[in-house]
Amino acid sequence: MTMALIHDPLAAALARKAASGARGQIADLLIASGEGWQVQDIICTCGPHDHEAEELTSASSVALVLSGSFVVRDRHGTSLLSEGSYLLVNAGHCFACSHRHGEGDRCLSFRFEPELFERIAHDAGHRAGFAHNRLPPLRPLAPLTARARLAMRQPELMEEVAVELAAVALGLSANENRPASPSPHQGRMSEVLRYMAAQSSEEHTVAALARMAKLSPYHFLRSFKSVTGVTPHQWLLRARLRAAAEKLAITRAPVTDIAFDVGFDDLSNFTRTFRAEFGASPRQYRLAA
């Protein structure tokens, strides 16, 4: 039996927009803040018909995409971001976000004033600046991503997550390879990614996803990894594991039920995969959370 869905504020905001006929807008809610940092829950209901707005910020930021997708453009190039990926913004640099391929997104944004950001970078042994504008849903980020989502319900945990996330994002950004030019298939990949996010517990074959993107399986795999930084299997697996981690932390449902609910058909495989991603078994993770 499928467990009740966790409330989705983005879906609710998009429903209100559709009912009222209003234009897309951005709403932000301050979750936590401290000396030189703050964390905001940002919901954007903009779509393909809304104008792209260029922004300039005095703070550096790392924003986890909780749901939806959007395109970011800055001096590092043009990237498509989807659920589980991170938007990286350097202080003092212009960037622009748009929804040319779909409507709406929700992000958890960690903002750092220059003095704190430079101190974190120095102590972590990194240069105080991001080399790219996005990070894929990589395994080293998985535990922090899960902790960040949990901290939305426990804001007192946010400061630790913020500091660690800034250091890890700086290190991964320095080593992340990016294509020389944006993929010509971003629009097709956005449609596929939104579908996979909505149906993450279902089985998806490369052939079926390629048909949706109107590409051959070979070109689909190349385009998907070029756009997202991971393979379709890795993207889907991490979406399932993020959902499992959240259910383990906030519900009392049996581990077996959670495993089946998020899309695993074998408990031992779920336990092994979860441990590889988070460094703990599902039961150990639940106790710690």
Side-chain angles (χ1 to χ4, degrees), residues 75-130:
R75 67 189 185 96
H76 294 305
T78 302
S79 299
L80 174 66
L81 286 93
S82 60
E83 182 179 321
S85 59
Y86 283 84
L87 168 65
L88 308 178
V89 176
N90 286 307
H93 294 162
C94 290
F95 71 100
C97 295
S98 64
H99 294 78
R100 65 186 75 164
H101 306 307
E103 186 180 42
D105 73 86
R106 183 186 181 199
C107 291
L108 183 64
S109 178
F110 296 79
R111 292 169 55 87
F112 305 89
E113 294 303 321
E115 183 178 350
L116 174 60
F117 193 69
E118 289 170 10
R119 188 160 67 246
I120 293 172
H122 176 271
D123 291 346
H126 303 305
R127 184 177 64 85
F130 298 117

Side-chain angles (χ1 to χ4, degrees), residues 147 150 154 157 248-249 280-289:
R147 285 171 58 195
L150 178 60
Q154 297 177 270
L157 303 177
L248 286 166
S281 71
R283 288 181 175 83
Q284 290 169 334
Y285 182 88
R286 168 172 274 170
L287 288 172

Side-chain angles (χ1 to χ4, degrees), residues 23-276:
R23 297 176 63 86
Q25 58 183 3
I26 300 174
D28 57 78
L29 173 67
L30 181 66
I31 294 180
S33 63
E35 188 175 344
W37 65 275
Q38 63 176 249
V39 182
Q40 294 174 305
D41 182 359
I42 301 177
I43 295 177
C44 177
T45 57
C46 294
H49 302 296
D50 292 293
H51 294 295
E52 175 182 274
E54 195 166 79
E55 299 180 51
L56 175 65
T57 174
S58 61
S60 296
S61 64
V62 182
L64 167 63
V65 183
L66 297 170
S67 56
S69 64
F70 59 94
V71 172
V72 62
R73 175 179 55 80
D74 68 0
R75 67 189 185 96
H76 294 305
T78 302
S79 299
L80 174 66
L81 286 93
S82 60
E83 182 179 321
S85 59
Y86 283 84
L87 168 65
L88 308 178
V89 176
N90 286 307
H93 294 162
C94 290
F95 71 100
C97 295
S98 64
H99 294 78
R100 65 186 75 164
H101 306 307
E103 186 180 42
D105 73 86
R106 183 186 181 199
C107 291
L108 183 64
S109 178
F110 296 79
R111 292 169 55 87
F112 305 89
E113 294 303 321
E115 183 178 350
L116 174 60
F117 193 69
E118 289 170 10
R119 188 160 67 246
I120 293 172
H122 176 271
D123 291 346
H126 303 305
R127 184 177 64 85
F130 298 117
H132 302 294
N133 55 23
R134 74 103 166 91
L135 285 174
L138 301 171
R139 176 171 288 177
L141 286 164
L144 275 170
T145 296
R147 285 171 58 195
R149 294 174 67 96
L150 178 60
M152 294 179 73
R153 297 176 174 84
Q154 297 177 270
E156 66 274 12
L157 303 177
M158 275 297 186
E159 184 173 17
E160 291 182 3
V161 175
V163 173
E164 291 185 42
L165 182 58
V168 171
L170 282 165
L172 291 174
S173 170
N175 297 320
E176 178 68 9
N177 294 322
R178 292 297 311 278
S181 58
S183 169
H185 304 306
Q186 280 188 347
R188 301 182 192 185
M189 293 304 112
S190 178
E191 179 183 354
V192 170
L193 286 163
R194 285 174 177 262
Y195 172 75
M196 290 171 66
Q199 307 290 336
S200 64
S201 64
E202 303 298 324
E203 291 298 323
H204 301 283
T205 65
V206 170
L209 295 174
R211 281 195 297 273
M212 179 181 293
K214 298 180 175 60
L215 294 169
S216 71
Y218 174 77
H219 284 104
F220 169 74
L221 286 174
R222 284 176 57 89
S223 294
F224 190 97
K225 188 166 185 180
S226 172
V227 167
T228 66
V230 293
T231 67
H233 173 75
Q234 290 169 331
W235 193 97
L236 187 61
L237 183 66
R238 294 201 168 107
R240 290 173 175 176
L241 291 172
R242 285 193 302 273
E246 187 162 11
K247 292 176 188 294
L248 286 166
I250 68 172
T251 76
R252 295 184 178 181
V255 172
T256 301
D257 290 357
I258 291 175
F260 293 152
D261 192 63
V262 301
F264 287 85
D265 55 11
D266 179 79
L267 180 60
S268 62
N269 180 40
F270 169 68
T271 301
R272 183 172 59 254
T273 306
F274 191 94
R275 185 188 293 275

